[in-house]
């Protein structure tokens, strides 16, 4: 058995907007499809057609939604005063993931990425774990280059969503 230690760099931004506005801005920047359309795209066997369908499914950020989980729903189940809103958005681009996985199969454990939006008291926070930090132990400059580019896309998206 081989063991790697992965140190993750988490970026946390404080939004200048309310929770719903932040989430709406994120969703406007990423492509959103229903599950059956997403499954159809991912099962495409012709690479050219697959690429075209991915390109048309991504939003202005170059990313698409894979799933969204309302974690706050579980936090608030008991009706306690400690309930708050928190969602996990799983997003990415299979073409970007393909480039990373081609040289570092372990990238498949971290792609697509997670964007976490949550309330912290009166504040709205956005969190993202840098792909570059996940891939650091695997020493592939090719994958690191792609990861840095992905990180820049995601951080630009979050900065835009968080700004006033």
């Amino acid at each position: 058995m081989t063991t790697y230690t992965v140190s993750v760099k988490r970026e946390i931004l404080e939004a200048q907007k309310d929770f719903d506005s932040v989430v709406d801005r994120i969703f406007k920047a990423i492509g959103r499809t229903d599950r059956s359309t997403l499954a159809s795209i991912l099962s495409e066997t012709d690479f050219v057609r697959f690429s075209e369908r991915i390109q048309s499914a991504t939003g202005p950020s170059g990313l698409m939604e894979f799933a969204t989980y309302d974690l706050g729903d579980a936090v608030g189940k008991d009706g306690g005063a400690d309930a708050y809103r928190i969602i996990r958005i799983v997003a990415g681009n299979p073409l970007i993931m393909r480039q990373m996985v081609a040289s570092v199969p372990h990238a498949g454990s971290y792609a697509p990425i997670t964007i976490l939006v949550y309330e912290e008291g009166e504040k709205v926070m956005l969190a993202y774990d840098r792909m570059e930090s996940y891939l650091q132990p695997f020493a592939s400059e090719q994958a690191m280059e792609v990861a840095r580019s992905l990180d820049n896309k995601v951080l630009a998206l979050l900065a835009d969503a968080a700004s006033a």
Side-chain angles (χ1 to χ4, degrees):
M1 179 185 319
T2 303
T3 302
Y4 290 90
T5 299
V6 178
S7 295
V8 178
K9 290 184 183 176
R10 171 160 283 196
E11 301 288 345
I12 302 172
L13 291 84
E14 182 179 340
Q16 304 303 309
K17 300 181 176 130
D18 64 274
F19 188 89
D20 290 326
S21 296
V22 169
V23 172
D24 286 345
R25 268 185 108 155
I26 291 171
F27 285 145
K28 285 179 181 165
I30 64 175
R32 300 189 77 194
T33 61
D34 59 57
R35 288 197 180 267
S36 64
T37 302
L38 178 60
S40 172
I41 292 169
L42 296 175
S43 66
E44 187 70 57
T45 57
D46 177 73
F47 182 72
V48 172
R49 180 78 179 121
F50 173 74
S51 298
E52 291 169 351
R53 292 187 71 193
I54 292 296
Q55 298 289 357
S56 68
T58 59
S61 65
L63 304 173
M64 61 191 290
E65 176 188 22
F66 284 79
T68 297
Y69 302 101
D70 183 348
L71 306 178
D73 187 45
V75 173
K77 287 288 185 205
D78 64 0
D82 59 347
Y84 62 94
R85 296 173 75 185
I86 177 171
I87 65 166
R88 177 181 180 210
I89 301 167
V90 179
N93 182 319
L95 298 172
I96 294 171
M97 180 273 309
R98 181 179 176 272
Q99 291 177 299
M100 290 185 295
V101 171
S103 59
V104 177
H106 301 278
S109 292
Y110 312 113
I113 58 92
T114 289
I115 297 168
L116 196 64
V117 183
Y118 60 97
E119 294 175 329
E120 189 174 84
E122 297 297 312
K123 300 176 187 174
V124 175
M125 309 301 286
L126 297 95
Y128 168 66
D129 297 337
R130 284 183 175 263
M131 181 63 72
E132 180 181 16
S133 64
Y134 283 127
L135 301 186
Q136 191 74 46
F138 304 105
S140 167
E141 188 50 42
Q142 178 184 351
M144 294 295 286
E145 207 172 291
V146 176
R148 280 190 287 275
S149 176
L150 175 61
D151 288 341
N152 290 336
K153 280 180 190 296
V154 175
L155 292 172
L157 164 66
L158 297 186
D160 180 66
S163 67

